Amino acid sequence: MADYDYDLFVIGAGSGGVRAARVSAAYGAKVAIAEEHRVGGTCVIRGCVPKKLLVYGAHFAEDLRDARRFGWDVPADCAFDWVTLRDNVLADVDRLNKAYTATLDNHGVEIVHTRATVTGGNEVTLDDGRTVTARHILIATGARPMVPSCPGNEHGITSNEAFHLDALPHRILIAGAGYIANEFAGIFNAFGSKVTLINRTDVILRGYDESIRDRLLQISMTKGIDFRFNAEFRGIERQDDGSLSVAMTNHDPVVVDCVMFATGRLPNTEGLGLENAGIQVDDKGAIPVDEDSRTTCPSIHAVGDVTNRVQLTPVAIREGQAFADTVFGNKPTRVDYGCIPSAVFSDPPMAGVGMTEGEAKNKLGSVKVYLSDFRPMKNVLANRNERALYKMVCDGDTGRVVGLHMIGPEAPEILQAAAVAVKAGLTKDAFDQTVALHPSMAEELVLMR
Ligand code: NDP
């Protein structure tokens, strides 16, 4: 049997790679992991975690206003300091980066702080020129923001840079209308920036239930976010005063201080040397894999965003775990991609699991839909005319809940628990048999008629 330097060499220390590395090491494998940036990857360093902290920070704008209705004496000139929040968030990112590094260290995983490229089915070459061999190679290099090619695009930023801004922009234009665009639109708007969101089509958050995303659009517009649809980017020009003039189809140019691209993410496969192992990427640059995350080269697997299956952290973690269990734990495991809950941390947030109403009608034919359209009691006292909307989509023949979609305060927190019931295949009747927890927003789930 061939002798290798490592049992496993992981390229990329993000959510998927770290999970696979530490679990494989716990099973007794000799593991190394290469990371050219910072251990933790997109989610921890420049994604989910710092974004959620900014969402918390942004929500105080509304909470402080509402607090007055609840009797609190909040000064009128309540000021917000971006630099304080930014630095506290970045400090927390540092803490998590250390925690992830410590987890790898504690499991005996060797961390190689350099770029690694594949130079063979069992061989990796590091930036310092060293070549190492491994019985298995796992590619977990994630994805990066896609910036549309247009004149002046170098003047724009992406979510990567948004966490490091020197100051809040007075006016920001966000290109795209997906997860990142809507989340940052809510954040910047709450901090007082004038936000314009433009998209090439006339929909936001394609793939989410139509009623729920319509509600987000309506609330976002009420909060002052300016939407421009059917607007394809034409270019960005820097003006003499430093501002940026953004040209687009079907609309007049918009002048702003900052342009942020949130137009999807591309798998990080460029220059990875995959051709040296006979692996061909697909038309999106993603690595094709089978149900066991195995590439066309039997000794090389890939997990997470680089495979462009479902670009969500918990999915990458599951894939990393399944890889380790299968390859080193003698427990063949496959990820179940059915009923994956997801959320958009917009303002207000939305969350969903299972089929949208449209998907269910196409797939099942007979569908029964229940709606709860209500004003959360906190919003009533706060004089906030903002309504939540919950939608339950049921199989018309069996009563089984096949989809649950929500927008409103704490929607992601509520949906995570309800997703267990949807995943378990429970019926509307089972929801109805559960006594309401009163007073709560979540009780609407068992009171829909
Ligand atoms: P999304 O795929 O969510 O949205 C991309 C947006 O950009 C869409 O509005 C799309 O338009 C538009 N777009 C796509 N390509 C182009 C192009 N070439 N030119 C102009 N516009 C374009 O991508 P995001 O960047 O927002 O996020 C990437 C992924 O990261 C998400 O899909 C999600 O999986 C993950 N993510 C998850 C989060 C969470 O779980 N809360 C948070 C942030 C990211 P249209 O659809 O109209 O064609």
Side-chain angles (χ1 to χ4, degrees):
M1 210 190 257
D3 219 11
Y4 298 102
D5 298 326
Y6 300 99
D7 297 313
L8 172 65
F9 194 97
V10 182
I11 307 182
S15 301
V18 167
R19 173 59 67 95
R22 83 161 163 78
V23 176
S24 301
Y27 283 132
K30 186 179 180 203
V31 184
I33 189 165
E35 173 57 58
E36 61 178 331
H37 300 300
R38 300 181 73 191
V39 170
T42 297
C43 175
V44 172
I45 306 294
R46 63 192 92 82
C48 326
V49 172
K51 179 274 312 286
K52 184 76 184 277
L53 292 171
L54 291 187
V55 168
Y56 280 131
H59 214 268
F60 279 99
E62 217 165 85
D63 292 341
L64 286 166
R65 273 199 300 277
D66 292 353
R68 297 191 185 108
R69 284 283 303 164
F70 287 83
W72 291 91
D73 183 10
V74 179
D77 62 347
C78 216
F80 167 69
D81 182 37
W82 161 254
V83 171
T84 301
L85 176 63
R86 181 200 65 191
D87 290 351
N88 287 344
V89 168
L90 294 179
D92 204 54
V93 167
D94 288 345
R95 180 185 66 78
L96 285 168
N97 165 247
K98 287 195 184 86
Y100 269 66
T101 305
T103 302
L104 291 170
D105 285 342
N106 294 340
H107 284 82
V109 176
E110 184 184 334
I111 305 173
V112 188
H113 291 282
T114 174
R115 185 173 168 79
T117 46
V118 174
T119 39
N122 298 94
E123 191 187 272
V124 168
T125 298
L126 309 178
D127 250 5
D128 58 15
R130 258 191 312 147
T131 293
V132 297
T133 58
R135 187 181 307 279
H136 296 277
I137 295 171
L138 179 70
I139 299 172
T141 46
R144 64 185 188 284
M146 190 279 281
V147 174
S149 54
C150 68
N153 65 3
E154 72 277 9
H155 298 306
I157 64 164
T158 67
S159 51
N160 288 351
E161 292 77 37
F163 300 105
H164 298 271
L165 290 174
D166 290 335
L168 275 178
H170 293 298
R171 302 159 296 180
I172 182 166
L173 180 141
I174 303 178
Y179 282 79
I180 296 177
N182 281 286
E183 291 179 343
F184 276 93
I187 291 168
F188 283 118
N189 185 60
F191 287 144
S193 303
K194 172 70 202 142
V195 179
T196 306
L197 193 148
I198 74 165
N199 199 30
R200 58 178 180 179
T201 65
D202 61 356
V203 294
I204 65 167
L205 288 159
R206 182 190 302 284
Y208 266 85
D209 189 87
E210 206 175 324
S211 322
I212 305 295
R213 47 190 163 92
D214 277 356
R215 179 61 55 93
L216 177 64
L217 179 60
Q218 174 217 317
I219 296 175
S220 300
M221 285 165 65
T222 307
K223 285 182 194 273
I225 298 173
D226 186 17
F227 286 83
R228 299 193 174 198
F229 291 118
N230 300 312
E232 286 223 24
F233 235 81
R234 280 289 172 257
I236 309 174
E237 234 174 76
R238 190 176 281 287
Q239 318 270 82
D240 291 343
D241 65 357
S243 61
L244 303 170
S245 175
V246 183
M248 65 199 85
T249 56
N250 297 320
H251 298 268
D252 290 336
V254 181
V255 177
V256 290
D257 309 297
C258 180
V259 174
M260 176 171 154
F261 293 104
T263 41
R265 296 175 61 84
L266 293 173
N268 279 326
T269 47
E270 260 172 39
L272 208 53
L274 295 169
E275 63 286 355
N276 298 323
I279 300 170
Q280 279 189 340
V281 296
D282 69 14
D283 56 348
K284 299 242 161 52
I287 301 178
V289 287
D290 66 12
E291 283 180 297
D292 293 310
S293 295
R294 192 189 295 268
T295 69
T296 49
C297 175
S299 54
I300 302 185
H301 290 69
V303 295
D305 287 0
V306 76
T307 64
N308 199 24
R309 285 176 279 187
V310 181
Q311 288 188 337
L312 295 175
T313 298
V315 175
I317 291 173
R318 289 259 164 146
E319 289 168 356
Q321 177 82 41
F323 161 82
D325 287 345
T326 304
V327 175
F328 294 105
N330 201 23
K331 279 189 281 185
T333 309
R334 283 180 176 168
V335 176
D336 174 359
Y337 293 92
C339 272
I340 295 173
S342 65
V344 184
F345 294 94
S346 44
D347 180 20
M350 46 192 268
V353 65
M355 287 186 253
T356 64
E357 182 179 348
E359 283 166 355
K361 281 182 174 154
N362 284 339
K363 199 160 179 195
L364 305 174
S366 162
V367 166
K368 189 125 203 272
V369 173
Y370 300 88
L371 282 177
S372 178
D373 186 339
F374 64 101
R375 189 144 76 113
M377 65 192 287
K378 190 173 164 223
N379 286 357
V380 176
L381 194 74
N383 268 345
R384 189 171 289 290
N385 194 18
E386 194 179 300
R387 299 179 72 82
L389 180 65
Y390 293 3
K391 180 189 273 192
M392 184 181 274
V393 184
C394 300
D395 183 326
D397 296 330
T398 62
R400 187 178 153 187
V401 181
V402 294
L404 203 49
H405 310 278
M406 316 168 54
I407 180 167
E410 311 299 348
E413 303 290 342
I414 298 165
L415 185 101
Q416 174 69 85
V420 178
V422 178
K423 176 81 180 154
L426 298 191
T427 58
K428 168 80 168 60
D429 200 37
F431 276 74
D432 294 347
Q433 284 170 28
T434 308
V435 174
L437 197 158
H438 185 71
S440 68
M441 293 176 284
E443 69 180 315
E444 295 298 325
L445 292 176
V446 300
L447 298 173
M448 291 184 184
R449 293 288 175 260

